[in-house]
Amino acid sequence: MIIKTSNKSTPIKNPAKLFKCIHYNTIRLIYEPYTKEIRIFPCCVMSAKYDEKYSIGTLHYNDIINSNDLYNDLNHIFMNYKNNIMLEPTCNLFSCFDNTTVDSNVCSFNSYNNLGITKIQVSIVRSCNLNCIMCRNDKIIDDPETRDIYFTILDKIKNHKLQTLELTAVGEPFFYKKQTFDYLSNITKENDFNLVYIITNATLLNDSDLE
């Protein structure tokens, strides 16, 4: 990170002291249909590796279905991770950190605030209407079980006044357009999510959908 002052550029050894990563207090949920498990990752950088060793916990399909308070179940896993966080950097976006001290660690406990989860990225849907060459999804999949667990999760994380919900996937969130719009029409900023982000190819949307 470079901070410019007049005509000089001063490298900052520890930018974590200046700002907080936007993914702090974020979890990402990724569904593994073959094992029927939801893998929980602490941020999108870690989950982008799609490597089980970076997961901070798992919940089985039945755990999701039977949960009386899914947000608290997820938050318990997340807070346990925060309280036992490793002492080496885990974020690969920054190569300038001095990894010799806890204080300089982008993912140290001191870098987090005291809040629990404030942002949830739900990366569950694998169904898509396209078959893009650059996508890791190698075919169009319409899996009813994955669809059911996706919307079950969305329903069960409502009513917790979270900052952000992000719908993203290796598939297309609007593949199930009616259900997605029904869900979005029944959430509020006051009780559910202040912001909702959706990563979509937008090809299934028409003008009336966007009004």
Side-chain angles (χ1 to χ4, degrees):
M1 180 180 186
I2 302 295
I3 289 186
K4 293 183 178 181
T5 57
S6 64
N7 295 325
K8 297 181 179 181
S9 295
T10 305
I12 300 300
K13 192 173 187 180
N14 184 10
K17 292 181 179 179
L18 302 179
F19 68 95
K20 293 183 183 295
C21 172
I22 61 172
H23 301 296
Y24 287 161
N25 303 105
T26 295
I27 62 166
R28 187 174 187 181
L29 308 179
I30 297 178
Y31 183 52
E32 297 296 335
Y34 301 108
T35 60
K36 295 187 176 183
E37 289 180 331
I38 300 290
R39 290 184 185 175
I40 305 163
F41 293 87
C43 69
C44 72
V45 173
M46 300 296 286
S47 62
K49 301 174 185 294
Y50 283 90
D51 191 326
E52 188 173 2
K53 71 181 180 181
Y54 294 106
S55 170
I56 62 173
T58 60
L59 290 175
H60 192 269
Y61 178 93
N62 291 332
D63 297 329
I64 303 293
I65 298 297
N66 296 324
S67 175
N68 292 321
D69 194 335
L70 181 59
Y71 172 80
N72 282 332
D73 293 341
L74 295 170
N75 202 49
H76 176 77
I77 294 171
F78 180 69
M79 296 300 290
N80 185 62
Y81 162 76
K82 285 175 63 174
N83 290 327
N84 296 281
I85 199 162
M86 296 170 62
L87 300 186
E88 61 267 9
T90 52
C91 178
N92 61 6
L93 289 180
F94 305 101
S95 59
C96 52
F97 289 107
D98 173 9
N99 62 3
T100 60
T101 65
V102 176
D103 202 36
S104 67
N105 184 348
V106 67
C107 280
S108 72
F109 180 77
N110 291 334
S111 297
Y112 287 87
N113 57 39
N114 293 324
L115 298 176
I117 298 166
T118 60
K119 176 180 178 180
I120 298 181
Q121 298 173 314
V122 184
S123 302
I124 304 296
V125 172
R126 292 171 180 261
S127 305
C128 188
N129 59 311
L130 301 181
N131 191 19
C132 301
I133 191 171
M134 72 288 191
C135 184
R136 67 173 63 91
N137 215 20
D138 59 355
K139 61 182 179 179
I140 298 173
I141 303 171
D142 184 9
D143 180 9
E145 187 174 83
T146 301
R147 177 200 61 208
D148 291 346
I149 198 66
Y150 173 65
F151 286 103
T152 297
I153 289 172
L154 293 181
D155 283 335
K156 291 195 173 192
I157 59 176
K158 293 194 304 184
N159 301 314
H160 287 285
K161 299 181 179 180
L162 301 182
Q163 176 62 28
T164 308
L165 170 67
E166 184 173 308
L167 305 182
T168 177
V170 292
E172 167 55 44
F174 286 110
F175 190 87
Y176 306 109
K177 185 167 72 170
K178 183 181 184 306
Q179 285 176 277
T180 300
F181 274 117
D182 287 346
Y183 178 79
L184 295 175
S185 66
N186 284 289
I187 58 176
T188 66
K189 292 181 65 173
E190 294 75 20
N191 297 320
D192 303 308
F193 312 100
N194 187 50
L195 295 171
V196 177
Y197 291 103
I198 302 176
I199 298 178
T200 173
N201 62 43
T203 59
L204 294 174
L205 302 176
N206 53 44
D207 290 343
S208 62
D209 293 329
L210 300 176
E211 291 179 355

